[in-house]
Amino acid sequence: MDGDINATAPGTTPPDTDPARKRRVHGMLKLYYGLNEEGKTVDQAESMDPCDINGPHFDPEVYLNKLRRECSLGELMDQETCMVKQIRSLDSDMQTLVYENYNKFISATDTIRKMKNDFKKMEDEMDCLSTNMASITDFSARISGTLQDQHAQITKLSGVHTLLRKLQFLFELPARLNKCLELQAYAQAVSSHRRARCVLQQYSHMPSFRGIQDDCHAIMDKLAQELRQKFRDGGSSAKDLSECVELLLQLDEPAEELCDKFLSHAQSRLEADLLGLEAELRPPLSSGPTAVTDPYTGPARRLSVEPTAGSPTGPSSLNNPFLSPSSRTDILEFIDRGCNEFVSSLCLVIASYQELFVNRPQEGELASKNIPQMAIGKLHAFVDALATRYFSLVERRIQEEKSVGDNSLLVRALDRFHRRLQAVAKLLPGSAVPSQGTEIVVRAARERIKQYLAALQSFYLNSLTDVRQALAAPRLGGSSAGGGSHLGGPATGKDAPASLPELLSTLSASILNQIKSVLASVHLFTAKDITFSNKPYFKGEFCSHGVRESLVVNFIKFVCQSSRQFCESAGDRGGSTPPALLLLLSRLCLDYETSTITYILTLTDEQFLVQHHSPVTAVTALCGEAREAAQKLLNHYVKVQGLIISQMLRKSVETRDWVNTIEPRNVRAVMKRVVEDTTSIDVQVGLLYEEGVRKAHSSDSSKRTFSVYSSSRQQTRYAPSYTPSAPMDTNLLSNIHKLFSERVEIFSPVEFNKVSVLTGIIKISLKTFLECVRLRTFGRYGLQQIQVDCHYLQMYLWRFVSDENLVHFLLDEIVGSTAHRCLDPAPMEQSVIEVICERG
Amino acid sequence: MTEEELIPTSSSLLSFSLFPCCRPLSVSLSRSPSLSPPLFLSPPLSFPQIHIIDFDDENNIISKSVLLHQAGEIWHISASPADKAVLSTCYNKTSESRVVTCGAVWRMPPEWESGSHESPDDPHNSHNPQNLELLCHLDNSAHGNASSVLWEPMGDGTRVISLADNHALLWDLTESSTQATISSSATLEGKGQLKFTSGKWGPHHNCTQLATANDTAIRGWDLRTMSQIYCIENAHGQLVRDLDFNPNKQYYLASCGDDCKVKFWDVRNINEPVKSLEEHSHWVWSVRYNHSHDQLVLTGSSDSRVILSNMVSISSEPFGHLVDDDDLSDGEDNHQYDKSKEPLQDSIISTYEEHEDSVYAVEWSSADPWLFASLSYDGRLVINRVPRALKYHILL
């Protein structure tokens, strides 16, 4: 019964029947006590072991033998007492079980007996019920049999009653209709009539019904008349109107006529809106040209005052003192009003129209007339006509928008305009209106670009005027100071053009800023939140062709062109442009060529993501143009400055009596002035241009003597008798000298550096000097004076030029020519000349 | 007579030096009936002379004869249209250390006229040049310095205009030109010291027009009333140096000046020049229309260049000659010309750079329309021909 015993009793053969029976009893007991699970495990172990007292194969013989063999006497005794004890407890258990089961059996028997009694009682009641039911059926059959006749009669009577009520409705119809008419309950009237119409139609051969029908017709005609009248009056609201139309349609009015009427009515109201808009347009137009032309002068000034103008809240007219704010609403308000009044009522009209005529459920006869197509055709024509008028008004208003200060207002207005038209597009697919609207926006954008270009141009011209004034102001002081002093050139020259670089930098910076702000303004057109910015035009052509070409490139071209005009117009009329301005512009153009153009165009391309579909102006072409302009300006500068000095020299040569002049004691004041002016030009150019390359100077540049009037040549040339051979030698000498010296281009293009510019100016001046000298006749002292003057020039001018030999050559020529033109050519001693010149 | 120097540098060019480093002031080609047109050259300061250059076209030979002009340095010279022995000069007279410019009419000595001038084998002759014979003075001390003397074009040599300071004086000469009387005069009035710099007697309208230049303005005068008929203010940016009338197209006028430009004017519309050339790099001293083919314009400048331009578009033959029908039958030859017959553009035909110094005068030959001469300060006289290709192009 426990593990130890099992383990110690293996390997004995099981007994046949007795243990099997015992085990069965034992198993039932266990089942009873709910030890099933435990028993299973025991079962498996038991099967093997005959010594297991609880197992099924228990064999008492084997067990006993085993005990006897293995255990001592004491142990056997113990085993026996234990066994006895277990048997006793098992017996008592069995007794208890038997007792309990007996009780249960007794009570079950009692219950069954009680049930048997109850069923008997129920059977009696059921019998009674069935008899009652049979009697009820009997009675009901008898009642229905008696009532059948009356029921048929009642049904007939109620049918007559309904018919009579219908007839009554018909007879009362005219009166009812009249009453409805009086009360203006048209809808009710129409529905009543509709209900009666078919019947009346069917029985119209009966005179009485015909009378009713005629009455109804008359009344309904009157009603239709009244409806039409109401429709025509136009005082009613859109809702009333649509109701009217619906009723009239139900009355079989021709749909086409109704469409026309509806539309014409709507038109009158929409036209009132349009007139309101037009009235807003009119005052500024009729109030005269001042209002229109003022914005022209406005932009530039305003641009300069507030270059980043654009508080979107303030209407643009408020900024302009010339316009009274009341006289015109700003464009956003205008467009708002247009959208709210015209476009929204147009949408309403379209919607109600479509509901009435286009989207109606098709009923029989109406379907055959193909109303929707006709109606849509009419609607398109109607919308197109009105939209065209509206667009023309909008366009007029946009054209009035000339001030370029605040672009965001215009863009927002255009955006709203465009956005609201999308509603029309949704309502009326296939209409040309939205595309026309887009076109207007595109046109407005184009116009805007043009205006910006004009504004930029006028800004540029204005800033040029400013520069001109700035140049003129210090110039006065400079020249009055420089006039009296001698050779204080650098000192006096310094304060006059000191501001040149500053002017240049402010000018170019302000232009650049202006361009940037304009670009920013124009950029609004392509902002993401603007509905029309994703139209193909604004993505492609507007950026590349509009902004880049029309605006930026054209402006750069304009700068170059206007610069060139300075050369052409001012040149002939004797330099109305101050030379400093020419110099400044030349530098500006050169700067443009080197960097600014590239910068601006890159900026534009980046901002607008320009995709070059069509060929655009290349940066190099623009740079070339700028460089050309710079070159031309600089050439012109050289020409003008050369002319100024030339005129001084020319006057000094032409006005003097060279035959009767006194012996030279001084350098003439004109020469000092020439040197002074050249020095100040040198300073001026030096402020803007680099030094440049010059050839190496000889060690004694200022101390060169003129070889032309060496005594040997003098004698042969001015020999008293004319010999054809003698002059040939000198002529040959001179010609050979010239053959080897390079031809001097007087008005030749200069390079972009100081030395080249100065060389050009000095060349022009000296050549003039030469030509003037050749037209005069000189006395002895005249020649000597020229000698002195030329030596003086030689002393000071060599340092300015790239190749001092050029100065030498020209001065040689001057002195030589003077000698030829001299009646009594007796040159001055070189040492004396030097003394005079050094004395100043 | 042997020439000092005769350098034919190309088939169409003769370069010829006259005086050493002196200033011959003008060249004038007389209306000579002979094939060889004589040139008149003015002389250097100290030895006022007139050189008569004969150019034998066929043999490329230049011959020269010298006449002394004792009165003084010559500034302007022009030949009478009627009598080839008569010429007029403006010259400087130095008296008591004052320089005065006078005008006079001269006759060349009969030896020259008869054609028996110095024989080429006698070089000594040039050492004893003959004097000019004075016919009359065109002087009027009240009217100041004469800057130029102009003969009536195509006239009979009896009418002369002299420009003196701010006066234009019309003289009547007697038959023998020995006496001159002022028949009328015009005065330029205005602020400052106005002075005529040059003038030209117009060949159109029966020779009743005179064009003058002073400072930057060009003025036109009606000789019948001696009154101003037009004035182109600021015709050039700087001084106007020379003028010339288009010989074939009335109202057309060429001018040149210190602004390096040559401008062509239609005097009926004086606001804008018809055309403006800016090819020279220094003052343009002289401009001349070809006498028969007025599209050829010659200019000389102190940049030492002579430029021959072809101003077809404003000439009297803007489209060239029309090709006659029978010319077309000539076949291949014609083809070539047809191609070159495309309307010519206004263009520079060529730039002559033979001179080493400022060119002060250019002149067309009056006998041969394809020949012209130019003269520079260093005394070099250059005779050139119009390029052959262009000549044929114009002619055919």
Side-chain angles (χ1 to χ4, degrees):
Chain A
M1 292 198 193
D2 72 271
D4 284 337
I5 297 173
N6 284 348
T8 50
T12 43
T13 50
D16 281 326
T17 51
D18 268 359
R21 192 186 46 84
K22 266 188 185 169
R23 199 212 57 186
R24 212 179 303 131
V25 171
H26 184 69
M28 281 173 74
L29 256 181
K30 258 206 308 195
L31 211 70
Y32 184 73
Y33 284 111
L35 295 170
N36 197 16
E37 285 175 29
E38 204 186 304
K40 259 187 188 166
T41 55
V42 174
D43 248 357
Q44 281 171 351
E46 269 168 357
S47 57
M48 316 305 291
D49 194 0
C51 303
D52 183 3
I53 201 161
N54 291 327
H57 304 290
F58 181 68
D59 188 348
E61 276 310 303
V62 179
Y63 183 65
L64 203 61
N65 284 340
K66 189 184 164 204
L67 281 181
R68 239 183 269 153
R69 238 186 292 132
E70 289 172 2
C71 300
S72 61
L73 184 63
E75 279 169 350
L76 281 176
M77 288 298 286
D78 287 346
Q79 190 78 31
E80 196 212 345
T81 52
C82 171
M83 195 82 83
V84 170
K85 224 184 262 173
Q86 278 178 359
I87 288 167
R88 252 185 224 141
S89 76
L90 277 174
D91 274 341
S92 74
D93 281 353
M94 198 146 70
Q95 274 174 10
T96 320
L97 276 174
V98 170
Y99 179 72
E100 276 174 5
N101 284 339
Y102 182 75
N103 277 348
K104 276 176 188 163
F105 179 74
I106 298 291
S107 69
T109 318
D110 286 350
T111 308
I112 287 167
R113 194 179 297 143
K114 208 176 166 189
M115 273 169 73
K116 220 178 213 170
N117 289 336
D118 287 351
F119 269 107
K120 202 171 267 171
K121 215 190 273 173
M122 233 157 75
E123 215 163 87
D124 294 342
E125 281 172 3
M126 284 307 288
D127 282 344
C128 177
L129 184 65
S130 68
T131 51
N132 283 347
M133 282 307 291
S135 70
I136 286 169
T137 316
D138 199 31
F139 274 122
S140 109
R142 234 186 293 163
I143 287 168
S144 64
T146 47
L147 282 182
Q148 192 138 26
D149 286 350
Q150 279 167 343
H151 178 74
Q153 257 182 335
I154 286 169
T155 313
K156 203 178 159 191
L157 280 177
S158 76
V160 171
H161 176 74
T162 337
L163 189 65
L164 281 175
R165 271 180 53 189
K166 274 184 187 167
L167 280 175
Q168 192 189 7
F169 175 77
L170 279 182
F171 290 133
E172 277 176 2
L173 187 61
R176 188 195 290 254
L177 286 179
N178 270 330
K179 203 176 175 191
C180 282
L181 206 59
E182 258 171 54
L183 293 173
Q184 298 196 325
Y186 301 117
Q188 205 184 336
V190 171
S191 66
S192 308
H193 179 246
R194 260 161 62 93
R195 268 159 61 197
R197 198 163 47 181
C198 298
V199 183
L200 288 174
Q201 195 70 36
Q202 200 177 340
Y203 297 102
S204 56
H205 57 275
M206 293 180 171
S208 54
F209 282 113
R210 161 150 292 169
I212 291 171
Q213 193 182 14
D214 289 348
D215 282 356
C216 283
H217 269 306
I219 292 164
M220 286 324 281
D221 281 351
K222 205 168 145 201
L223 187 139
Q225 209 68 43
E226 221 160 289
L227 278 175
R228 258 180 248 143
Q229 185 61 42
K230 196 174 164 193
F231 194 74
R232 215 172 290 135
D233 282 349
S236 44
S237 69
K239 205 177 157 200
D240 284 350
L241 203 68
S242 54
E243 199 182 278
C244 251
V245 170
E246 203 165 354
L247 294 178
L248 281 171
L249 265 181
Q250 284 176 4
L251 287 176
D252 278 350
E253 284 287 315
E256 201 169 339
E257 209 173 288
L258 278 178
C259 287
D260 285 345
K261 274 187 188 158
F262 183 85
L263 288 181
S264 74
H265 178 68
Q267 186 163 18
S268 68
R269 276 182 304 140
L270 288 171
E271 252 164 33
D273 288 344
L274 284 178
L275 283 179
L277 286 178
E278 204 169 1
E280 236 172 270
L281 268 180
R282 208 156 277 159
L285 276 180
S286 58
S287 74
T290 47
V292 181
T293 49
D294 278 333
Y296 265 123
T297 59
R301 182 169 40 76
R302 201 131 56 76
L303 281 173
S304 58
V305 173
E306 31 170 12
T308 53
S311 63
T313 49
S316 60
S317 54
L318 280 177
N319 291 339
N320 198 328
F322 293 100
L323 292 170
S324 59
S326 63
S327 75
R328 66 192 313 170
T329 49
D330 72 60
I331 185 156
L332 190 59
E333 266 175 53
F334 177 86
I335 294 283
D336 254 355
R337 192 173 154 190
C339 290
N340 290 340
E341 288 177 2
F342 175 78
V343 178
S344 54
S345 46
L346 182 69
C347 287
L348 206 64
V349 166
I350 293 173
S352 54
Y353 181 92
Q354 280 183 330
E355 207 163 296
L356 285 179
F357 299 108
V358 183
N359 297 335
R360 291 177 65 80
Q362 303 293 310
E363 297 159 359
E365 45 183 344
L366 285 177
S368 65
K369 288 181 186 165
N370 212 359
I371 289 175
Q373 264 190 3
M374 181 273 300
I376 280 188
K378 276 187 189 298
L379 182 63
H380 273 292
F382 166 78
V383 169
D384 283 352
L386 277 173
T388 315
R389 285 187 52 191
Y390 173 61
F391 287 157
S392 79
L393 285 178
V394 169
E395 247 181 315
R396 260 168 65 192
R397 181 65 186 90
I398 290 173
Q399 273 164 15
E400 273 171 40
E401 202 64 14
K402 293 255 159 70
S403 77
V404 286
D406 189 2
N407 195 39
S408 66
L409 205 64
L410 177 77
V411 172
R412 275 170 51 205
L414 287 175
D415 179 40
R416 199 155 303 176
F417 168 74
H418 189 260
R419 209 186 285 270
R420 289 301 280 265
L421 285 180
Q422 300 310 308
V424 179
K426 260 176 219 150
L427 276 175
L428 200 61
S431 162
V433 171
S435 64
Q436 279 171 2
T438 311
E439 237 160 69
I440 284 178
V441 173
V442 166
R443 269 204 292 277
R446 279 208 191 105
E447 197 57 37
R448 205 64 181 159
I449 285 177
K450 271 188 208 147
Q451 284 167 6
Y452 271 117
L453 180 63
L456 269 181
Q457 289 175 349
S458 71
F459 173 80
Y460 174 69
L461 292 181
N462 280 356
S463 40
L464 278 195
T465 318
D466 290 349
V467 169
R468 205 188 266 247
Q469 278 164 359
L471 283 175
R475 182 154 280 268
L476 287 173
S479 66
S480 67
S485 71
H486 51 91
L487 229 129
T492 54
K494 206 133 211 164
D495 55 24
S499 54
L500 263 183
E502 284 169 37
L503 277 174
L504 177 69
S505 63
T506 48
L507 176 66
S508 63
S510 67
I511 291 174
L512 202 60
N513 274 341
Q514 196 60 41
I515 290 177
K516 277 184 187 164
S517 73
V518 164
L519 280 181
S521 299
V522 173
H523 196 245
L524 291 176
F525 278 110
T526 60
K528 281 227 168 58
D529 55 338
I530 302 293
T531 46
F532 53 75
S533 69
N534 58 1
K535 294 277 171 200
Y537 170 78
F538 281 96
K539 275 191 168 166
E541 203 196 341
F542 178 77
C543 294
S544 70
H545 195 263
V547 175
R548 191 182 191 273
E549 294 293 301
S550 303
L551 191 64
V552 179
V553 172
N554 269 0
F555 177 65
I556 293 170
K557 277 185 180 163
F558 171 79
V559 169
C560 296
Q561 244 160 25
S562 70
S563 309
R564 275 202 298 258
Q565 270 166 9
F566 275 113
C567 303
E568 276 148 24
S569 61
D572 286 349
R573 307 287 176 253
S576 60
T577 320
L581 182 63
L582 293 173
L583 191 67
L584 191 112
L585 283 179
S586 149
R587 183 72 220 191
L588 183 73
C589 287
L590 194 66
D591 286 348
Y592 265 62
E593 189 250 334
T594 49
S595 59
T596 317
I597 289 179
T598 322
Y599 173 70
I600 293 174
L601 284 183
T602 318
L603 190 75
T604 314
D605 288 357
E606 274 171 7
Q607 261 194 27
F608 288 88
L609 300 169
V610 175
Q611 295 149 352
H612 303 301
H613 298 301
S614 51
V616 291
T617 315
V619 178
T620 50
L622 280 179
C623 286
E625 202 168 323
R627 190 178 181 86
E628 198 184 305
Q631 180 76 57
K632 210 161 177 183
L633 280 164
L634 198 61
N635 288 349
H636 191 62
Y637 174 75
V638 168
K639 223 169 174 175
V640 168
Q641 291 286 31
L643 186 64
I644 292 170
I645 294 179
S646 295
Q647 294 294 14
M648 274 195 295
L649 287 168
R650 178 186 219 149
K651 285 267 155 56
S652 79
V653 174
E654 280 175 358
T655 51
R656 203 178 173 108
D657 181 2
W658 289 100
V659 180
N660 297 316
T661 185
I662 53 158
E663 191 169 4
R665 303 195 179 283
N666 278 313
V667 180
R668 282 186 298 150
V670 181
M671 297 301 153
K672 291 178 180 167
R673 185 72 199 283
V674 167
V675 171
E676 236 169 66
D677 280 12
T678 313
T679 314
S680 67
I681 290 171
D682 184 61
V683 171
Q684 192 178 53
V685 178
L687 288 173
L688 292 181
Y689 279 100
E690 294 76 31
E691 180 72 23
V693 220
R694 62 175 89 220
K695 288 187 185 163
H697 296 297
S698 58
S699 55
D700 55 345
S701 295
S702 60
K703 301 254 178 193
R704 194 169 167 274
T705 56
F706 299 111
S707 60
V708 189
Y709 36 89
S710 62
S711 57
S712 63
R713 288 180 68 190
Q714 292 278 321
Q715 278 168 6
T716 54
R717 189 173 310 155
Y718 302 105
S721 72
Y722 172 68
T723 52
S725 56
M728 270 320 299
D729 299 338
T730 50
N731 189 26
L732 212 58
L733 270 176
S734 152
N735 276 348
I736 287 171
H737 169 69
K738 282 177 185 169
L739 274 177
F740 286 101
S741 65
E742 267 176 51
R743 187 183 287 272
V744 180
E745 292 283 349
I746 304 303
F747 290 112
S748 55
V750 291
E751 290 160 27
F752 294 107
N753 59 55
K754 193 177 84 176
V755 169
S756 179
V757 169
L758 263 290
T759 307
I761 294 170
I762 288 171
K763 259 192 323 198
I764 292 172
S765 313
L766 292 185
K767 180 76 177 177
T768 308
F769 195 12
L770 172 65
E771 294 296 340
C772 289
V773 159
R774 284 179 179 180
L775 288 172
R776 300 288 297 179
T777 309
F778 292 84
R780 175 202 295 214
Y781 296 128
L783 168 63
Q784 293 184 351
Q785 182 69 58
I786 295 290
Q787 273 183 285
V788 170
D789 290 349
C790 286
H791 187 81
Y792 182 80
L793 289 180
Q794 166 66 32
M795 278 167 63
Y796 290 100
L797 291 186
W798 64 268
R799 66 189 91 213
F800 297 122
V801 299
S802 61
D803 182 7
E804 58 181 303
N805 287 326
L806 190 83
V807 176
H808 298 158
F809 171 73
L810 282 167
L811 289 174
D812 276 357
E813 281 287 316
I814 293 169
V815 177
S817 297
T818 315
H820 300 318
R821 302 289 316 150
C822 186
L823 297 169
D824 178 17
M828 194 178 243
E829 282 291 317
Q830 185 63 29
S831 57
V832 181
I833 295 175
E834 279 169 24
V835 168
I836 293 177
C837 287
E838 255 140 51
R839 213 172 47 199
Chain B
M1 165 189 163
T2 56
E3 295 300 329
E4 297 92 346
E5 195 186 5
L6 184 60
I7 319 163
T9 51
S10 74
S11 67
S12 66
L13 164 82
L14 284 171
S15 178
F16 172 57
S17 264
L18 293 164
F19 291 100
C21 286
C22 290
R23 181 190 180 96
L25 280 157
S26 57
V27 183
S28 180
L29 298 161
S30 82
R31 294 195 326 133
S32 167
S34 68
L35 263 177
S36 52
L39 306 150
F40 297 98
L41 305 175
S42 83
L45 177 63
S46 317
F47 315 100
Q49 297 168 335
I50 291 180
H51 288 219
I52 302 161
I53 311 290
D54 235 345
F55 174 59
D56 186 345
D57 198 7
E58 287 170 2
N59 304 319
N60 265 3
I61 293 175
I62 284 183
S63 56
K64 178 184 90 168
S65 49
V66 180
L67 296 171
L68 279 187
H69 184 275
Q70 300 286 27
E73 182 193 17
I74 299 175
W75 284 88
H76 188 266
I77 188 168
S78 57
S80 160
D83 186 345
K84 62 175 175 174
V86 176
L87 55 90
S88 67
T89 59
C90 293
Y91 57 93
N92 271 359
K93 202 162 67 181
T94 319
S95 55
E96 295 149 15
S97 69
R98 277 194 65 229
V99 180
V100 189
T101 316
C102 312
V105 182
W106 310 84
R107 176 179 289 281
M108 287 183 271
E111 289 82 6
W112 178 82
E113 211 184 338
S114 63
S116 65
H117 38 100
E118 309 98 296
S119 75
D121 354 57
D122 184 7
H124 299 288
N125 247 346
S126 59
H127 292 260
N128 302 309
Q130 286 176 299
N131 277 324
L132 284 165
E133 178 194 335
L134 177 70
L135 288 176
C136 62
H137 286 288
L138 301 172
D139 278 344
N140 189 328
S141 51
H143 292 120
N145 295 327
S147 65
S148 55
V149 175
L150 313 166
W151 294 87
E152 183 183 17
M154 332 288 177
D156 55 2
T158 59
R159 272 148 65 89
V160 168
I161 290 173
S162 70
L163 301 174
D165 279 353
N166 58 341
H167 301 287
L169 308 170
L170 179 60
W171 303 80
D172 274 338
L173 301 180
T174 54
E175 193 71 18
S176 54
S177 305
T178 48
Q179 254 197 327
T181 49
I182 296 179
S183 65
S184 56
S185 71
T187 308
L188 187 61
E189 277 161 6
K191 279 189 212 158
Q193 274 199 319
L194 296 173
K195 214 167 149 185
F196 286 120
T197 50
S198 68
K200 205 83 185 179
W201 195 327
H204 306 295
H205 310 289
N206 215 9
C207 300
T208 55
Q209 278 194 14
L210 173 73
T212 61
N214 66 298
D215 200 21
T216 61
I218 298 173
R219 287 158 203 277
W221 304 84
D222 187 340
L223 293 176
R224 294 167 297 190
T225 59
M226 285 311 253
S227 58
Q228 182 177 312
I229 45 179
Y230 59 84
C231 174
I232 310 174
E233 296 282 358
N234 286 318
H236 284 263
Q238 299 175 49
L239 197 69
V240 180
R241 288 278 168 192
D242 198 13
L243 298 166
D244 199 18
F245 279 97
N246 186 323
N248 301 331
K249 208 175 175 187
Q250 51 186 6
Y251 305 118
Y252 273 71
L253 187 68
S255 67
C256 59
D258 286 2
D259 57 358
C260 310
K261 286 177 183 161
V262 179
K263 291 184 177 178
F264 298 88
W265 303 89
D266 182 340
V267 297
R268 292 165 298 185
N269 176 21
I270 58 173
N271 295 325
E272 281 294 315
V274 181
K275 200 100 190 176
S276 178
L277 293 180
E278 195 172 0
E279 301 296 337
H280 286 290
S281 73
H282 202 243
W283 305 351
V284 187
W285 283 77
S286 179
V287 58
R288 287 288 179 272
Y289 276 111
N290 188 299
H291 299 301
S292 29
H293 305 286
D294 55 278
Q295 61 266 53
L296 300 178
V297 176
L298 205 56
T299 52
S301 153
S302 42
D303 64 358
S304 315
R305 291 197 181 91
V306 175
I307 292 181
L308 176 61
S309 340
N310 190 8
M311 306 303 294
V312 188
S313 67
I314 54 169
S315 76
S316 58
E317 312 169 352
F319 307 111
H321 285 290
L322 291 173
V323 184
D324 292 336
D325 283 343
D326 41 332
D327 281 355
L328 284 172
S329 58
D330 283 8
E332 260 187 47
D333 267 356
N334 235 330
H335 249 300
Q336 220 175 340
Y337 291 126
D338 278 351
K339 271 180 193 164
S340 57
K341 264 289 185 313
E342 299 294 314
L344 275 178
Q345 301 296 314
D346 291 347
S347 59
I348 303 290
I349 297 164
S350 58
T351 303
Y352 301 94
E353 303 201 339
E354 283 86 17
H355 292 287
E356 301 291 348
D357 209 326
S358 308
V359 178
Y360 290 121
V362 291
E363 195 71 68
W364 290 96
S365 162
S366 54
D368 181 351
W370 310 111
L371 210 58
F372 60 90
S374 55
L375 190 61
S376 60
Y377 180 75
D378 53 11
R380 181 176 292 181
L381 174 79
V382 176
I383 299 175
N384 270 304
R385 279 197 193 86
V386 174
R388 203 175 291 270
L390 181 77
K391 176 177 167 180
Y392 289 138
H393 186 96
I394 292 172
L395 283 180
L396 295 172

